């Protein structure tokens, strides 16, 4: 059992390192966590290897005992439950679950734009599109009914959250990990025809359009389908 | 090689074989998994489950690391000697000491277990267990960032969390049953040189706490996927009911204490006092924490401790919220 525990630990550590190296971890936790995941992974690998080393060396250390006494101090118990660590590991090794998508957009608590900066500097009015997070667009739209956006061209990136017209563009804000994700949405107007497929990542270029609705609107001049970004959250 | 030794060896080989079997069968099951992930609800569940597990790992490693250092380097009998003998004094001291452990709730469970097995008064270790994830500098700074220009929220969170931890500790002094903690109390660190003790304890604690964390993550992911978060919105204006609704949401969501302030900040339809309850309850009682505590201290303990803590947390945040917010 000693060796199994060690093997499980090495597996867990390796998967954590792999998540960091491939950047896939960004689907689950905030970008700044990367180094910590790598350190944790390395430490778990060292722990697992040290256990494998001890297990391979006879005689058995003093904390091993015959099965009859196992449950007295919970060691066996602990090792058995350790098996469960293989569940997320198996999931990550085989098919890494995707970043959060349109499913949760209407289920999460909406982000509070009033918590942001209260007065924005106006954007330069010109043809050059300004890349902007959906959150900033929401905050600017809330601030004096979008006065700071005026007629400036902005570029918004997110995924498609509706499968009918007009569709909403959405992206999640995360503070720590996908568990605390809160969706931010913008309504895309001014396009014709079929919307892009649900959950397709797109970059929308357009201008702010004043409206009475709760969701701010962007009048799109172009909608370009893009591959999902490495960091899917804002 | 004697009989027991060969049996052990046989079980080790069996174990390694089983790990290989799991990996191979998972590989065969890959198309099935991929098909499942095409369903949005399943994908959502899987993402939340993996995110919770991955996010907790660094904190868990920190927790089992500190716990192992205590096991390896703090001599037996040292803690009872330095801690105040009078439990009524030891509890507030231990609760206030929570300030010194930067991390979240996943890390403090193994540490509290270790403190108990090293002879610290259980009530004091439990007060530390509750306060550390809520009142450490990292969490307080995160709270200040999430509520810009509202320092009273940070103060209220600090006071209410400290108060709740002390109340639970004192109740445990008076009415607690230390025999429920026998699993933690009787656990002794393995013999050997400090480095061996360090790695062996950390390794064991990691597997144990990690396994139970996975149970908690699976439950939390299921509840989050099944219960839409806006379901609680309907009671947002209902006063005390809103308080209880957000306490329940904190238990179900199981967010890391370093991130819960941001979620609380976004729940604008609720009063500040109910959002305070969310931030006080979350680090002390939630589904993954109950699973972790059940694994470290035993199920009987967890079943009594969780309701006691929930009541203390809701009570103190209602009191502090009414006073400060």
């Amino acid at each position: 059992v000693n060796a199994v525990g060690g093997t499980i630990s090495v597996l867990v550590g390796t998967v954590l390192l792999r998540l960091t190296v491939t950047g896939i971890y960004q689907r689950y936790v905030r970008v700044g966590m990367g180094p910590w995941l790598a350190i944790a992974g390395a430490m778990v690998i060292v722990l697992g290897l040290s256990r494998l080393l001890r297990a391979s060396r006879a005689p058995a250390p003093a904390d091993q005992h015959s099965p009859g006494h196992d449950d007295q101090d919970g060691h066996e118990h602990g090792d058995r439950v350790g098996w469960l660590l293989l569940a997320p590991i198996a999931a990550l090794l085989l098919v890494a679950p995707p970043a959060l998508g349109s499913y949760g957009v209407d289920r999460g608590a909406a982000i509070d734009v009033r918590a942001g900066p209260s007065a924005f500097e106006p954007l330069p009015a010109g043809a050059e599109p300004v890349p902007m997070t959906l959150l900033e667009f929401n905050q600017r739209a809330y601030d004096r009914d979008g006065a700071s956006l005026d007629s400036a061209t902005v570029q918004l990136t997110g995924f498609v959250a509706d499968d009918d017209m007009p569709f909403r563009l959405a992206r999640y804000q995360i503070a720590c990990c996908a568990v605390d994700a809160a969706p931010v949405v913008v309504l895309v107007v001014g396009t014709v025809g079929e919307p892009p497929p649900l959950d397709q990542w797109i970059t929308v270029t357009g201008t702010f359009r004043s409206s009475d609705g709760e969701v701010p609107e962007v009048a799109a001049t172009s909608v370009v389908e893009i591959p999902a970004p490495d960091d899917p959250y804002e | 090689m004697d009989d027991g030794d060969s049996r052990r060896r046989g079980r080790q080989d069996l174990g390694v074989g089983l790990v290989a079997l799991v990996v191979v069968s998972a590989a065969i099951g890959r198309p099935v998994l991929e098909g499942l992930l095409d369903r949005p609800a399943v994908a959502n569940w899987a993402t939340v489950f993996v995110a919770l597990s991955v996010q907790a790992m660094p904190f868990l490693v920190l927790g089992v690391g500190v716990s192992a250092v205590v096991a390896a380097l703090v001599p037996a009998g040292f803690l009872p000697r330095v801690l105040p003998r009078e439990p009524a004094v030891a509890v507030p001291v231990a609760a206030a000491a929570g300030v010194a452990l930067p991390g979240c709730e996943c890390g403090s469970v193994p540490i509290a277990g270790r403190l108990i097995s090293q002879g610290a008064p259980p009530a004091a270790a439990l007060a530390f267990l509750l306060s550390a994830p809520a009142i450490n500098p990292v969490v307080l700074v995160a709270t200040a960032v999430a509520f810009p220009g509202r320092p009273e929220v940070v103060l209220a969170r600090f006071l209410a969390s400290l108060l709740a931890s002390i109340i639970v500790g004192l109740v445990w002094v008076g009415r607690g049953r230390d025999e429920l903690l026998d699993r933690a109390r009787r656990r002794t660190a393995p013999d050997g040189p400090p480095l061996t003790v360090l790695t062996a304890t950390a390794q064991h604690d990691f597997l144990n706490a990690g396994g139970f964390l996975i149970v908690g993550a699976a439950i939390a992911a299921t509840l989050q996927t099944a219960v839409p978060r806006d379901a609680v919105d309907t009671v947002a204006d209902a006063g005390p009911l809103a308080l209880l609704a957000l306490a329940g949401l904190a238990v179900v969501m199981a967010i890391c204490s370093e991130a819960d302030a941001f979620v609380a900040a976004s729940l604008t339809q609720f009063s500040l006092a109910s959002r305070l309850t969310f931030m006080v309850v979350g680090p002390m009682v939630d589904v993954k924490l109950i699973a972790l505590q059940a694994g470290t201290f035993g199920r009987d303990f967890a079943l009594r401790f969780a309701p006691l803590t929930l009541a203390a947390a809701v009570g103190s945040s209602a009191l502090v919220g009414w006073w400060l917010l």
Side-chain angles (χ1 to χ4, degrees), chain A residues 1 3-9 11-12 16 19 28-29 33 36-37 40 43-44 47-48 50-51 54-55 60 63-64 67 72 74-79 81-85 88 92 94-95 97-98 100 103 106-107 109-110 112 114-115 175-181, chain B residues 7-9 11-12 15-16 18-19 26-27 30 33-34 37 40-41 43-44 46-52 54-55 57-58 61 148 183 186 190 196 199-200 202-204 206-208 210-212 214-215 224-226 228-230 253 255 259 262-263 265-268:
Chain A
V1 176
V4 184
T7 316
I8 293 174
S9 297
L11 261 175
V12 171
L16 284 180
L19 278 180
Y28 313 114
V29 298
M33 292 273 286
W36 299 110
L37 286 179
M43 285 178 69
V44 172
L47 285 180
S50 76
R51 179 155 176 167
R54 276 200 310 281
D63 68 332
Q64 287 196 357
Q72 277 202 346
H75 273 224
E76 286 289 308
H77 187 65
D79 287 352
V81 77
W83 279 93
L84 293 173
L85 282 165
L92 283 171
L94 299 171
V95 269
L100 292 178
Y103 178 79
D106 293 318
R107 302 167 66 88
D112 179 21
R114 281 160 292 180
C176 193
C177 74
V179 181
D180 59 61
Chain B
R7 192 165 55 212
R8 206 150 42 223
R9 180 75 57 192
R11 284 170 64 195
Q12 280 180 18
V16 176
L18 277 175
V19 172
R30 182 172 181 155
L33 277 177
E34 274 172 344
L37 283 178
N44 192 76
T47 307
V48 171
F49 171 59
V50 169
L52 247 175
V54 168
Q55 180 264 136
M57 283 300 155
V61 170
R183 182 189 288 180
R186 275 183 311 170
T196 313
T199 53
Q203 164 71 25
H204 170 260
F206 174 75
L207 286 180
N208 186 47
F212 279 97
I214 299 303
V215 175
Q224 267 214 39
T225 308
R229 218 196 287 178
D230 50 17
M253 281 186 73
I255 321 173
F262 297 96
V263 175
S266 72
L267 294 166
T268 44

Side-chain angles (χ1 to χ4, degrees), chain A residues 171-186:
Chain A
R171 198 157 177 175
Y172 290 94
Q173 293 274 322
I174 66 170
C176 193
C177 74
V179 181
D180 59 61
V184 195
V185 291
V186 169

Side-chain angles (χ1 to χ4, degrees), chain B:
Chain B
M1 195 181 279
D2 68 38
D3 197 37
D5 213 20
S6 65
R7 192 165 55 212
R8 206 150 42 223
R9 180 75 57 192
R11 284 170 64 195
Q12 280 180 18
D13 293 344
L14 179 71
V16 176
L18 277 175
V19 172
L21 187 70
V22 168
V23 172
V24 170
S25 57
I28 296 169
R30 182 172 181 155
V32 182
L33 277 177
E34 274 172 344
L36 275 176
L37 283 178
D38 281 342
R39 299 162 187 264
V42 178
N44 192 76
W45 183 91
T47 307
V48 171
F49 171 59
V50 169
L52 247 175
S53 315
V54 168
Q55 180 264 136
M57 283 300 155
F59 298 108
L60 192 63
V61 170
L62 174 73
V64 300
V66 171
S67 154
V69 168
V70 170
L73 302 181
V74 176
F78 176 78
L79 281 176
R81 231 177 21 247
V82 293
L83 278 168
R85 214 164 295 258
E86 184 58 47
V89 185
V91 165
V93 169
V99 174
L101 180 75
C104 80
E105 59 268 30
C106 315
S108 62
V109 175
I111 297 177
R114 180 63 53 195
L115 293 178
I116 291 176
S117 73
Q118 293 274 331
L126 295 177
F128 175 82
L129 163 80
L130 295 180
S131 76
I135 66 170
N136 71 66
V138 180
V139 169
L140 292 180
V141 168
T143 312
V145 172
F147 290 91
R150 310 292 294 270
E152 70 272 18
V153 175
V154 182
L155 182 66
R157 175 172 201 180
F158 177 83
L159 290 177
S161 302
L162 194 61
L163 181 64
S165 323
I166 295 175
I167 291 176
V168 172
L170 291 180
V171 169
W172 195 266
V173 170
R175 318 220 33 174
R177 291 166 50 197
D178 285 353
E179 71 269 18
L180 289 174
L181 291 161
D182 273 354
R183 182 189 288 180
R185 278 206 298 183
R186 275 183 311 170
R187 200 171 53 143
T188 47
D191 299 322
L195 190 64
T196 313
V197 177
L198 190 83
T199 53
T201 336
Q203 164 71 25
H204 170 260
D205 282 5
F206 174 75
L207 286 180
N208 186 47
F212 279 97
L213 181 81
I214 299 303
V215 175
I219 297 173
T222 309
L223 290 172
Q224 267 214 39
T225 308
V227 184
R229 218 196 287 178
D230 50 17
V232 296
D233 284 5
T234 46
V235 294
D237 298 323
L241 205 56
L243 216 77
L244 293 177
L246 282 202
L249 187 68
V251 174
V252 166
M253 281 186 73
I255 321 173
C256 173
S257 68
E258 297 190 348
D260 59 1
F262 297 96
V263 175
S266 72
L267 294 166
T268 44
Q269 59 278 46
F270 286 88
S271 69
L272 262 187
S274 11
R275 287 189 271 166
L276 174 69
T277 314
F278 181 82
M279 292 189 287
V280 174
V281 170
M284 297 190 175
V285 200
D286 65 40
V287 287
K288 77 168 184 309
L289 208 44
I290 294 174
L292 261 178
Q293 290 168 354
T296 309
F297 301 113
R299 202 181 52 200
D300 290 344
F301 167 81
L303 287 179
R304 284 169 177 78
F305 190 65
L308 167 67
T309 312
L310 185 61
V314 172
S316 12
S317 42
L319 189 70
V320 174
W322 165 77
W323 176 43
L324 277 177
L325 300 178

